[in-house]
Amino acid sequence: MEAHAPQPETSEESQPGMRPTAVSVIMPVLNEERHLRTAVRAILAQEYPGEMEVVIALGPSTDRTDEIAAELVREDPRVHTVPNPTGRTPAALNAAIKASRHPVVVRVDGHGVLSPGYIETAVRLLEETGAQNVGGVMHAEGENDWEHAVAAAMTSRIGVGNAAFHTGGAAAPAETVYLGVFRREALEQQGGYNEEFIRAQDWELNFRIREAGGLIWFSPELRVSYRPRPSVRALAKQYKDYGRWRHVVARYHEGSINLRYLAPPAAVCAIAAGTLVGALVTPWGLVVPAGYLAAIAAGSVPAGRGLGLKARARIPVALATMHMSWGWGYLTSPRALARRVIASRRPAVRTS
């Protein structure tokens, strides 16, 4: 972020007789014609007593996203847009931060829907905890059988392990949180997002905030509805990118990896080896891929509770797509990518 970014207003505590803290909502958007209007309406419908603005950073979309954004600007003076020619998420976030002006910055994605009271709760939590960033649960919700299946997979332990922002948990300090509601001073102190992190930019920024002594706080009170990818191909690309960039993070920050992150690449290797042994040496090798299929089929039963038969039948496909794509992305993540990202490392900036 450049030094001539707009100066934020003075932050004020929400105390009797004082004006509530003003809030800037920033949105990185690319090809979001399906969900953008719903996402923005959920922001504007927040019953927040303070001043609020919405800054949409528009990437080079190939659908009607820009047209819908222009309509939203005409309909409500609180909505503004800024260009993001690269289309990259961290660049969009930095552009929106630079164009915004309030002391609390709320990140929302173009396919996310804030729950009622989200902003007011987040501002309260910032004040109560003293955190630099607060976030909550990424609540996946689908609109058809496939998306219902993906949502079930994304909120189950067999799908994502014990990640609190997927499956819920108690309020507590965290390494990172979903999206995030920041104090502007923390964003500006750290120089914004590192634009080399095409994915995992949240983790990297939160790492610098924590390294500088700041607190990241998870609370289940905060909830954002998330729309899953609409096809197997789109889900596979999403999770391949997740795995690829998680390996970059592991190389960037040694010691950040745990068994939950290693499970998918280990599964890919074991299944590939078992299939090869089964085809060339002995049928006993097929026990490994067969065991994996049995495990995800069994895990799909509790995950699909309450869903229709067609959605439940798709959960194993969603789970396998997530696991295998994430694992393959992790295994094939090039060292050159990590070296480039490490070369761009920004040291955490501590308050003097």
Side-chain angles (χ1 to χ4, degrees):
M1 294 170 59
E2 298 180 20
H4 58 272
Q7 293 299 310
E9 299 176 0
T10 302
S11 178
E12 296 175 332
E13 301 292 324
S14 297
Q15 298 175 356
M18 298 189 73
R19 193 160 49 91
T21 306
V23 168
S24 296
V25 182
I26 60 171
M27 301 183 71
V29 169
L30 179 69
N31 292 327
E32 290 287 0
E33 68 173 1
R34 184 179 171 194
H35 301 300
L36 180 59
R37 181 172 288 278
T38 300
V40 173
R41 280 178 173 170
I43 297 167
L44 299 176
Q46 294 281 306
E47 294 183 353
Y48 183 67
E51 186 178 352
M52 182 172 65
E53 65 176 350
V54 181
V55 182
I56 304 172
L58 294 171
S61 296
T62 56
D63 60 9
R64 295 183 59 252
T65 296
D66 287 9
E67 180 182 337
I68 294 168
E71 292 171 359
L72 291 167
V73 170
R74 289 195 296 271
E75 292 166 7
D76 196 301
R78 292 173 292 177
V79 182
H80 314 281
T81 62
V82 293
N84 173 35
T86 70
R88 294 181 172 184
T89 299
L93 291 166
N94 283 343
I97 293 167
K98 180 181 175 182
S100 66
R101 58 196 177 93
H102 294 320
V104 171
V105 178
V106 181
R107 175 181 171 179
V108 181
D109 284 347
H111 46 269
V113 179
L114 299 186
S115 58
Y118 180 94
I119 292 177
E120 186 169 19
T121 301
V123 173
R124 172 177 60 80
L125 288 171
L126 283 174
E127 295 172 359
E128 290 177 354
T129 64
Q132 302 300 305
N133 180 20
V134 299
V137 177
M138 174 184 176
H139 182 65
E141 292 182 336
E143 297 179 341
N144 55 45
D145 289 331
W146 166 250
E147 291 179 4
H148 287 313
V150 176
M154 291 180 70
T155 54
S156 68
R157 291 190 178 276
I158 191 173
V160 295
N162 62 351
F165 69 83
H166 280 296
T167 60
E175 285 190 355
T176 191
V177 290
Y178 180 54
L179 300 180
V181 178
F182 298 84
R183 297 178 188 271
R184 176 182 291 275
E185 61 195 29
L187 293 172
E188 294 188 341
Q189 179 182 325
Q190 299 305 327
Y193 290 85
N194 184 335
E195 296 186 12
E196 290 293 336
F197 273 82
I198 308 306
R199 297 286 184 271
Q201 65 275 157
D202 293 327
W203 183 93
E204 192 277 336
L205 174 59
N206 285 321
F207 169 73
R208 280 186 282 132
I209 291 174
R210 288 187 292 109
E211 196 173 43
L215 174 66
I216 310 300
W217 187 261
F218 166 82
S219 174
E221 292 183 74
L222 299 174
R223 187 182 180 98
V224 181
S225 294
Y226 168 85
R227 304 305 185 202
R229 295 297 192 269
S231 67
V232 174
R233 182 176 181 179
L235 183 67
K237 182 181 185 306
Q238 178 188 19
Y239 272 78
K240 180 185 175 184
D241 287 345
Y242 282 171
R244 176 187 179 98
W245 282 91
R246 184 63 230 191
H247 205 164
V248 171
V249 166
R251 288 166 169 157
Y252 178 91
H253 177 53
E254 294 181 5
S256 68
I257 208 69
N258 60 40
L259 292 178
R260 176 163 64 91
Y261 298 125
L262 294 177
V268 170
C269 292
I271 290 169
T275 302
L276 190 62
V277 170
L280 301 178
V281 182
T282 172
W284 285 105
L286 299 177
V287 168
V288 176
Y292 171 76
L293 293 175
I296 62 172
S300 297
V301 175
R305 199 170 285 127
L307 295 180
L309 181 60
K310 289 182 178 179
R312 293 202 305 270
R314 289 166 169 79
I315 294 175
V317 178
L319 287 170
T321 301
M322 290 161 57
H323 294 162
M324 297 298 101
S325 300
W326 203 103
W328 180 249
Y330 188 94
L331 291 169
T332 58
S333 182
R335 287 187 176 274
L337 177 59
R339 285 196 294 269
R340 188 179 79 235
V341 170
I342 290 169
S344 72
R345 187 191 297 268
R346 297 179 181 181
V349 179
R350 295 182 178 273
T351 304
S352 56

